[in-house]
Amino acid sequence: MKRILIIEDDRDIVELVRYNLANEGFQVNAAFDGVGGLATLKKTPPDLLLLDLMLPKMSGLDICREVRKDESLNRLPILMLTARGDEADRVVGLEMGADDYVTKPFSPRELIARVKALIRRAEPPVDSPRVLEIGRLAIDPASYRVSHSGKPVPLSTLEFRLLYYLASRPNRVFTRDQLLDAVWGTDRFVTPRSVDVYVRRLREKIESDPENPLHLKTVRGAGYLFETRAA
């Protein structure tokens, strides 16, 4: 049984989420403030985190930041809960490490679909494709691990999937929509601009100079490519 932790201070929302996800076979635990939620998260890591951004004691953005810094938690799928129209908050949330978002008020059906999609993407591949070694990078799809110059690089599951997709198809340009279809799938809910956020996050983690990337290149007006010729 997959375990989900919701950190949300609105108890009515918590009970709505708990009821509907439990009916789908999920085990749901809850915390009502940021500090308690982070402590619960570290003590008993779930399979997915449902996270409100506006929390007492510690914000959801700070929790995202802490999770992505923790090597034992950095692959945890995070689904943000945001108020309708808070576009800036959603962008910041994605930049801090969230994988997707749902806006309040939301339908239980929509929430369940997004939860299932994120959990499905977090599953490792059945087969074990080869490890990619490109310059100082080593990308292992069997363990979802990346290292740079021998040092581990913590990536979320979706960050890894995007990096591996591009790196395993080197020197080819992909549009944002192509990347969304390949990495997020047809049940995606994020927008093409979310790809920009993920690429920026990846550059900060794998590039020695994110402003002048060696591998993750932008092709203006077209999309992105993973350059290997320089390696």
Side-chain angles (χ1 to χ4, degrees):
M1 180 182 292
K2 296 292 186 181
R3 292 176 294 105
I4 294 174
L5 174 64
I6 176 170
I7 307 177
E8 163 67 66
D9 61 335
D10 187 323
R11 292 176 183 265
D12 290 335
I13 290 178
V14 169
E15 290 310 309
L16 174 69
V17 169
R18 192 197 302 273
Y19 175 80
N20 284 279
L21 290 179
N23 283 343
E24 293 293 320
F26 295 103
Q27 177 185 328
V28 183
N29 294 320
F32 301 97
D33 66 75
V35 171
L38 184 60
T40 300
L41 179 65
K42 290 186 174 183
K43 182 178 180 181
T44 310
D47 295 295
L48 181 139
L49 174 62
L50 272 172
L51 180 64
D52 187 24
L53 291 188
M54 301 297 292
L55 291 166
K57 299 185 180 179
M58 184 179 190
S59 75
L61 294 178
D62 287 335
I63 291 174
C64 271
R65 190 180 293 113
E66 289 298 314
V67 167
R68 293 308 182 217
K69 288 194 305 185
D70 189 326
E71 189 174 344
S72 66
L73 294 173
N74 62 64
R75 286 178 50 196
L76 175 68
I78 300 176
L79 179 59
M80 284 188 296
L81 304 175
T82 68
R84 187 177 300 278
D86 288 350
E87 179 67 27
D89 285 345
R90 290 197 289 272
V91 171
V92 173
L94 291 171
E95 288 178 339
M96 289 299 101
D99 295 299
D100 198 357
Y101 59 83
V102 63
T103 55
K104 305 174 188 176
F106 50 82
S107 73
R109 180 180 298 178
E110 177 188 18
L111 178 70
I112 290 166
R114 296 191 185 204
V115 165
K116 288 182 175 179
L118 281 178
I119 287 178
R120 187 164 54 250
R121 293 185 199 117
E123 297 291 338
V126 176
D127 55 351
S128 296
R130 62 188 176 88
V131 175
L132 299 179
E133 295 185 354
I134 305 162
R136 298 180 179 180
L137 280 174
I139 306 169
D140 183 359
S143 63
Y144 274 42
R145 297 190 184 280
V146 175
S147 62
H148 187 280
S149 302
K151 297 179 180 179
V153 179
L155 297 182
S156 71
T157 298
L158 281 171
E159 287 172 341
F160 181 91
R161 285 167 60 91
L162 178 58
L163 175 61
Y164 185 79
Y165 185 83
L166 287 167
S168 62
R169 297 161 179 81
N171 309 312
R172 290 171 54 188
V173 179
F174 294 93
T175 67
R176 294 179 180 87
D177 282 323
Q178 287 175 323
L179 292 172
L180 283 175
D181 287 340
V183 176
W184 280 261
T186 55
D187 52 2
R188 70 179 187 260
F189 299 93
V190 294
T191 65
R193 287 295 172 185
S194 299
V195 176
D196 302 341
V197 175
Y198 275 83
V199 169
R200 185 160 62 248
R201 276 166 42 180
L202 281 173
R203 283 176 176 157
E204 291 172 353
K205 293 182 177 183
I206 70 164
E207 300 282 3
S208 300
D209 182 0
E211 297 299 320
N212 297 285
L214 183 66
H215 296 299
L216 280 172
K217 300 291 184 72
T218 300
V219 180
R220 194 170 299 278
Y224 296 103
L225 65 78
F226 190 94
E227 172 72 75
T228 61
R229 299 183 184 96

PDB file of all heavy atoms in Angstrom, residues 32-51:
ATOM      1  N   PHE A  32      -0.393  19.252  10.388  1.00  0.00           N
ATOM      2  CA  PHE A  32      -1.141  20.493  10.230  1.00  0.00           C
ATOM      3  C   PHE A  32      -0.274  21.752  10.315  1.00  0.00           C
ATOM      4  O   PHE A  32      -0.797  22.858  10.281  1.00  0.00           O
ATOM      5  CB  PHE A  32      -2.269  20.541  11.260  1.00  0.00           C
ATOM      6  CG  PHE A  32      -3.227  19.379  11.131  1.00  0.00           C
ATOM      7  CD1 PHE A  32      -3.086  18.265  11.949  1.00  0.00           C
ATOM      8  CD2 PHE A  32      -4.221  19.389  10.175  1.00  0.00           C
ATOM      9  CE1 PHE A  32      -3.953  17.186  11.819  1.00  0.00           C
ATOM     10  CE2 PHE A  32      -5.088  18.320  10.030  1.00  0.00           C
ATOM     11  CZ  PHE A  32      -4.956  17.203  10.853  1.00  0.00           C
ATOM     12  N   ASP A  33       1.025  21.592  10.443  1.00  0.00           N
ATOM     13  CA  ASP A  33       1.932  22.738  10.381  1.00  0.00           C
ATOM     14  C   ASP A  33       3.253  22.273   9.774  1.00  0.00           C
ATOM     15  O   ASP A  33       3.528  21.070   9.700  1.00  0.00           O
ATOM     16  CB  ASP A  33       2.150  23.375  11.757  1.00  0.00           C
ATOM     17  CG  ASP A  33       2.884  22.453  12.719  1.00  0.00           C
ATOM     18  OD1 ASP A  33       4.117  22.278  12.568  1.00  0.00           O
ATOM     19  OD2 ASP A  33       2.237  21.895  13.621  1.00  0.00           O
ATOM     20  N   GLY A  34       4.060  23.238   9.339  1.00  0.00           N
ATOM     21  CA  GLY A  34       5.272  22.891   8.620  1.00  0.00           C
ATOM     22  C   GLY A  34       6.313  22.158   9.441  1.00  0.00           C
ATOM     23  O   GLY A  34       6.923  21.189   8.970  1.00  0.00           O
ATOM     24  N   VAL A  35       6.531  22.595  10.675  1.00  0.00           N
ATOM     25  CA  VAL A  35       7.560  21.974  11.512  1.00  0.00           C
ATOM     26  C   VAL A  35       7.197  20.524  11.824  1.00  0.00           C
ATOM     27  O   VAL A  35       8.011  19.607  11.689  1.00  0.00           O
ATOM     28  CB  VAL A  35       7.761  22.784  12.817  1.00  0.00           C
ATOM     29  CG1 VAL A  35       8.672  22.032  13.775  1.00  0.00           C
ATOM     30  CG2 VAL A  35       8.356  24.151  12.495  1.00  0.00           C
ATOM     31  N   GLY A  36       5.952  20.309  12.244  1.00  0.00           N
ATOM     32  CA  GLY A  36       5.520  18.948  12.535  1.00  0.00           C
ATOM     33  C   GLY A  36       5.504  18.072  11.296  1.00  0.00           C
ATOM     34  O   GLY A  36       5.841  16.886  11.344  1.00  0.00           O
ATOM     35  N   GLY A  37       5.123  18.670  10.171  1.00  0.00           N
ATOM     36  CA  GLY A  37       5.096  17.919   8.927  1.00  0.00           C
ATOM     37  C   GLY A  37       6.469  17.460   8.494  1.00  0.00           C
ATOM     38  O   GLY A  37       6.656  16.306   8.074  1.00  0.00           O
ATOM     39  N   LEU A  38       7.463  18.350   8.606  1.00  0.00           N
ATOM     40  CA  LEU A  38       8.828  17.976   8.211  1.00  0.00           C
ATOM     41  C   LEU A  38       9.375  16.887   9.138  1.00  0.00           C
ATOM     42  O   LEU A  38      10.059  15.956   8.679  1.00  0.00           O
ATOM     43  CB  LEU A  38       9.734  19.207   8.235  1.00  0.00           C
ATOM     44  CG  LEU A  38      11.168  18.989   7.750  1.00  0.00           C
ATOM     45  CD1 LEU A  38      11.196  18.498   6.299  1.00  0.00           C
ATOM     46  CD2 LEU A  38      11.989  20.279   7.885  1.00  0.00           C
ATOM     47  N   ALA A  39       9.063  16.982  10.420  1.00  0.00           N
ATOM     48  CA  ALA A  39       9.522  15.960  11.363  1.00  0.00           C
ATOM     49  C   ALA A  39       8.907  14.601  11.028  1.00  0.00           C
ATOM     50  O   ALA A  39       9.592  13.571  11.031  1.00  0.00           O
ATOM     51  CB  ALA A  39       9.161  16.371  12.787  1.00  0.00           C
ATOM     52  N   THR A  40       7.604  14.583  10.722  1.00  0.00           N
ATOM     53  CA  THR A  40       6.928  13.343  10.340  1.00  0.00           C
ATOM     54  C   THR A  40       7.519  12.783   9.063  1.00  0.00           C
ATOM     55  O   THR A  40       7.745  11.572   8.928  1.00  0.00           O
ATOM     56  CB  THR A  40       5.419  13.591  10.152  1.00  0.00           C
ATOM     57  OG1 THR A  40       4.866  14.069  11.377  1.00  0.00           O
ATOM     58  CG2 THR A  40       4.702  12.328   9.725  1.00  0.00           C
ATOM     59  N   LEU A  41       7.783  13.667   8.128  1.00  0.00           N
ATOM     60  CA  LEU A  41       8.337  13.275   6.833  1.00  0.00           C
ATOM     61  C   LEU A  41       9.691  12.579   6.983  1.00  0.00           C
ATOM     62  O   LEU A  41       9.958  11.545   6.358  1.00  0.00           O
ATOM     63  CB  LEU A  41       8.478  14.531   5.972  1.00  0.00           C
ATOM     64  CG  LEU A  41       9.064  14.418   4.570  1.00  0.00           C
ATOM     65  CD1 LEU A  41       8.167  13.587   3.689  1.00  0.00           C
ATOM     66  CD2 LEU A  41       9.244  15.810   3.989  1.00  0.00           C
ATOM     67  N   LYS A  42      10.538  13.139   7.838  1.00  0.00           N
ATOM     68  CA  LYS A  42      11.867  12.563   8.018  1.00  0.00           C
ATOM     69  C   LYS A  42      11.831  11.271   8.826  1.00  0.00           C
ATOM     70  O   LYS A  42      12.636  10.361   8.590  1.00  0.00           O
ATOM     71  CB  LYS A  42      12.785  13.586   8.693  1.00  0.00           C
ATOM     72  CG  LYS A  42      13.135  14.756   7.783  1.00  0.00           C
ATOM     73  CD  LYS A  42      14.160  15.683   8.428  1.00  0.00           C
ATOM     74  CE  LYS A  42      14.610  16.747   7.448  1.00  0.00           C
ATOM     75  NZ  LYS A  42      15.659  17.626   8.017  1.00  0.00           N
ATOM     76  N   LYS A  43      10.889  11.188   9.768  1.00  0.00           N
ATOM     77  CA  LYS A  43      10.797   9.996  10.603  1.00  0.00           C
ATOM     78  C   LYS A  43      10.245   8.812   9.818  1.00  0.00           C
ATOM     79  O   LYS A  43      10.757   7.685   9.910  1.00  0.00           O
ATOM     80  CB  LYS A  43       9.912  10.276  11.813  1.00  0.00           C
ATOM     81  CG  LYS A  43       9.794   9.097  12.772  1.00  0.00           C
ATOM     82  CD  LYS A  43       8.932   9.456  13.970  1.00  0.00           C
ATOM     83  CE  LYS A  43       8.810   8.273  14.934  1.00  0.00           C
ATOM     84  NZ  LYS A  43       7.956   8.620  16.102  1.00  0.00           N
ATOM     85  N   THR A  44       9.204   9.050   9.023  1.00  0.00           N
ATOM     86  CA  THR A  44       8.569   7.985   8.239  1.00  0.00           C
ATOM     87  C   THR A  44       8.323   8.503   6.831  1.00  0.00           C
ATOM     88  O   THR A  44       7.242   9.017   6.523  1.00  0.00           O
ATOM     89  CB  THR A  44       7.228   7.555   8.883  1.00  0.00           C
ATOM     90  OG1 THR A  44       7.424   7.290  10.268  1.00  0.00           O
ATOM     91  CG2 THR A  44       6.683   6.304   8.199  1.00  0.00           C
ATOM     92  N   PRO A  45       9.317   8.419   5.940  1.00  0.00           N
ATOM     93  CA  PRO A  45       9.160   8.960   4.588  1.00  0.00           C
ATOM     94  C   PRO A  45       8.009   8.279   3.836  1.00  0.00           C
ATOM     95  O   PRO A  45       7.919   7.049   3.817  1.00  0.00           O
ATOM     96  CB  PRO A  45      10.504   8.650   3.928  1.00  0.00           C
ATOM     97  CG  PRO A  45      11.464   8.504   5.065  1.00  0.00           C
ATOM     98  CD  PRO A  45      10.665   7.895   6.176  1.00  0.00           C
ATOM     99  N   PRO A  46       7.119   9.068   3.241  1.00  0.00           N
ATOM    100  CA  PRO A  46       6.004   8.508   2.480  1.00  0.00           C
ATOM    101  C   PRO A  46       6.431   8.219   1.034  1.00  0.00           C
ATOM    102  O   PRO A  46       7.584   8.444   0.656  1.00  0.00           O
ATOM    103  CB  PRO A  46       4.971   9.631   2.532  1.00  0.00           C
ATOM    104  CG  PRO A  46       5.819  10.873   2.526  1.00  0.00           C
ATOM    105  CD  PRO A  46       7.065  10.533   3.311  1.00  0.00           C
ATOM    106  N   ASP A  47       5.475   7.761   0.247  1.00  0.00           N
ATOM    107  CA  ASP A  47       5.716   7.553  -1.186  1.00  0.00           C
ATOM    108  C   ASP A  47       5.400   8.808  -1.981  1.00  0.00           C
ATOM    109  O   ASP A  47       5.838   8.938  -3.126  1.00  0.00           O
ATOM    110  CB  ASP A  47       4.868   6.382  -1.705  1.00  0.00           C
ATOM    111  CG  ASP A  47       5.276   5.062  -1.066  1.00  0.00           C
ATOM    112  OD1 ASP A  47       6.417   4.628  -1.303  1.00  0.00           O
ATOM    113  OD2 ASP A  47       4.468   4.498  -0.310  1.00  0.00           O
ATOM    114  N   LEU A  48       4.637   9.718  -1.377  1.00  0.00           N
ATOM    115  CA  LEU A  48       4.306  10.990  -2.036  1.00  0.00           C
ATOM    116  C   LEU A  48       3.926  11.998  -0.963  1.00  0.00           C
ATOM    117  O   LEU A  48       3.313  11.645   0.052  1.00  0.00           O
ATOM    118  CB  LEU A  48       3.156  10.806  -3.032  1.00  0.00           C
ATOM    119  CG  LEU A  48       2.715  12.061  -3.805  1.00  0.00           C
ATOM    120  CD1 LEU A  48       2.421  11.732  -5.275  1.00  0.00           C
ATOM    121  CD2 LEU A  48       1.463  12.690  -3.174  1.00  0.00           C
ATOM    122  N   LEU A  49       4.275  13.253  -1.206  1.00  0.00           N
ATOM    123  CA  LEU A  49       3.961  14.338  -0.280  1.00  0.00           C
ATOM    124  C   LEU A  49       2.979  15.297  -0.938  1.00  0.00           C
ATOM    125  O   LEU A  49       3.237  15.805  -2.029  1.00  0.00           O
ATOM    126  CB  LEU A  49       5.234  15.096   0.109  1.00  0.00           C
ATOM    127  CG  LEU A  49       5.045  16.360   0.965  1.00  0.00           C
ATOM    128  CD1 LEU A  49       4.412  16.014   2.308  1.00  0.00           C
ATOM    129  CD2 LEU A  49       6.379  17.075   1.158  1.00  0.00           C
ATOM    130  N   LEU A  50       1.845  15.531  -0.274  1.00  0.00           N
ATOM    131  CA  LEU A  50       0.899  16.576  -0.657  1.00  0.00           C
ATOM    132  C   LEU A  50       1.174  17.767   0.246  1.00  0.00           C
ATOM    133  O   LEU A  50       1.069  17.655   1.474  1.00  0.00           O
ATOM    134  CB  LEU A  50      -0.538  16.098  -0.460  1.00  0.00           C
ATOM    135  CG  LEU A  50      -1.215  15.359  -1.603  1.00  0.00           C
ATOM    136  CD1 LEU A  50      -2.550  14.801  -1.133  1.00  0.00           C
ATOM    137  CD2 LEU A  50      -1.436  16.275  -2.782  1.00  0.00           C
ATOM    138  N   LEU A  51       1.514  18.911  -0.341  1.00  0.00           N
ATOM    139  CA  LEU A  51       2.078  19.997   0.449  1.00  0.00           C
ATOM    140  C   LEU A  51       1.416  21.323   0.157  1.00  0.00           C
ATOM    141  O   LEU A  51       1.471  21.821  -0.979  1.00  0.00           O
ATOM    142  CB  LEU A  51       3.583  20.096   0.146  1.00  0.00           C
ATOM    143  CG  LEU A  51       4.377  21.165   0.876  1.00  0.00           C
ATOM    144  CD1 LEU A  51       4.388  20.908   2.371  1.00  0.00           C
ATOM    145  CD2 LEU A  51       5.811  21.199   0.338  1.00  0.00           C
TER     146      LEU A  51
END
